[in-house]
Amino acid sequence: MPKTTIQTDAPLPDDPPKMVQAIDRLNSLGIMFERKTLYQLKIDQWNFYPGRGTIVRDGGLPEEDRGLLALLERVHPPSKNRSSPIRASN
C-alpha cells in the first residue's frame, strides 16, 4: 500500500501553532517540502516533526538538536554569496 502525502503547502485549519509556523517559514524561504502526515514535513532526506521539534535523516536516528532553526541550518545553511534561497526537492 503506497504512502500518501497530504497535498498542501498551506496549514490546515486544525494545525497546531508549531506546524503553522514551520509551514509559513519554509514557504517564506522558498524551501520546497512535502507534508507526509498531519505531523511530519519532509525536505530532501530530512524529516521534521514540528510538534516536538524532532529532526530525523532518512534511515537514521533523531538528531540531538531540535526545532525549526536546527532544521533550517541543515536545509538552508547561511552563505555569504547566496542571492536566492535554496529550493529543496522532495
Side-chain angles (χ1 to χ4, degrees):
M1 177 179 227
K3 293 183 179 180
T4 60
T5 298
I6 299 169
Q7 297 295 326
T8 181
D9 62 352
L12 299 173
D14 294 334
D15 278 338
K18 288 182 179 182
M19 179 62 83
V20 173
Q21 178 187 19
I23 290 171
D24 288 347
R25 185 64 186 266
L26 292 170
N27 283 328
S28 73
L29 292 171
I31 297 173
M32 302 299 292
F33 64 92
E34 288 181 90
R35 185 161 185 181
K36 293 295 201 175
T37 70
L38 292 175
Y39 313 102
Q40 175 191 9
L41 302 176
K42 182 162 179 62
I43 304 161
D44 287 331
Q45 75 273 14
W46 297 105
N47 299 282
F48 181 57
Y49 302 85
R52 292 187 179 214
T54 307
I55 303 166
V56 181
R57 186 188 296 247
D58 286 347
L61 297 173
E63 299 287 313
E64 283 189 33
D65 53 345
R66 292 176 175 237
L68 183 57
L69 292 179
L71 173 73
L72 292 176
E73 288 175 0
R74 288 168 172 79
V75 300
H76 194 264
S79 172
K80 294 178 185 176
N81 298 324
R82 182 179 304 130
S83 60
S84 63
I86 293 173
R87 296 189 71 78
S89 63
N90 47 4

